[in-house]
Amino acid sequence: MQGTREATTARLRPLLRAVHEALVAGVAVSAQIHRQHGWQRAADPHLDRQLVRRHAMEQLLPWAASVGEQLTFDVGDNAGENLGLPMSGLIVTTEADVVRIWYSEDGELPPADTAALRTFYAQAPTTQLALDGAPPVGNHLALLWADRGGVLSRLELVRPWWRGGRHPEADWRVDLLAQ
C-alpha cells in the first residue's frame, strides 16, 4: 500500500463514493428542511452544514459497519478539537488511512491551531522517501466539501502535511467532482 495520490484514490474509491452520495443526500435534506420552513440557508450557514453532516453521518453508519471501517465523531473529550467547523467531527478510519471530512468553501485546510490537528498534519510528503527508499504507507487525509445553491460544488481529497507554522500545505489534491 502506498500513499501516492493514485494508490490512495484507488484504495479509497468505495469510501469516497459512499461519502459523495451521503453528502449529496445531506445537501438535499438540508435544502428541503429550509424550504419547508421558509428559512434562508445563508441566514444560518452552520445549521445548514450541521443538517448535511447529520444526514451524511446517519447514511454512512451502516456502510461503515458493512465494510468494517471505523466511523467516529469528535465528541466528549475531543469536542474542543472541532474548531467549530460543522464537519470536523466526521472521521473515517480504514486499515491504512484516516479521513477527516470538513466543510471548506475555499478549499483551505483548517489551521494547525490544536495539538490534535498538528499531529494529524504531521506526515512526510509522498515525494520524500523513507530511509529504506520506500514511499510513506498510509495517510492522514482531508475530504473537503462545499455546496452552492443546494448542489455539491466541491469534493476534494487532500493529503496535508505540516512544516510548522499555522497553515498546513497540500502534499497533493484530487478533485473528485471532476472524475
Side-chain angles (χ1 to χ4, degrees):
M1 265 185 246
Q2 292 186 8
T4 65
R5 174 185 8 219
E6 296 78 16
T8 300
T9 305
R11 181 173 60 248
L12 293 177
R13 192 162 314 284
L15 166 65
L16 299 173
R17 233 181 253 125
V19 172
H20 179 237
E21 291 170 6
L23 289 172
V24 166
V27 167
V29 165
S30 179
Q32 177 187 7
I33 290 171
H34 280 81
R35 260 192 320 278
Q36 283 176 336
H37 295 282
W39 297 339
Q40 293 182 2
R41 295 172 70 207
D44 189 356
H46 291 292
L47 173 62
D48 176 48
R49 294 171 198 150
Q50 283 288 54
L51 289 169
V52 173
R53 174 190 181 272
R54 181 62 187 195
H55 187 79
M57 177 178 71
E58 294 299 329
Q59 190 166 327
L60 287 169
L61 281 172
W63 176 86
S66 73
V67 295
E69 308 295 15
Q70 182 182 355
L71 187 63
T72 58
F73 311 97
D74 270 342
V75 293
D77 293 341
N78 296 326
E81 301 293 349
N82 73 8
L83 306 176
L85 297 172
M87 287 298 286
S88 293
L90 191 52
I91 303 170
V92 182
T93 305
T94 72
E95 196 173 291
D97 306 292
V98 176
V99 182
R100 288 184 175 226
I101 302 167
W102 283 308
Y103 179 88
S104 177
E105 218 168 284
D106 58 6
E108 293 296 317
L109 294 159
D113 288 343
T114 66
L117 280 179
R118 286 188 292 276
T119 299
F120 181 74
Y121 293 147
Q123 59 185 348
T126 53
T127 56
Q128 181 178 326
L129 298 178
L131 291 176
D132 63 2
V137 174
N139 300 290
H140 289 172
L141 302 158
L143 187 59
L144 306 177
W145 72 276
D147 70 301
R148 199 168 283 123
V151 176
L152 207 60
S153 60
R154 173 183 305 284
L155 189 63
E156 188 174 38
L157 187 63
V158 181
R159 187 178 190 278
W161 70 287
W162 179 66
R163 292 189 290 177
R166 187 162 189 248
H167 297 282
E169 297 183 32
D171 181 20
W172 50 255
R173 292 177 179 265
V174 177
D175 181 354
L176 299 172
L177 291 180
Q179 292 188 348

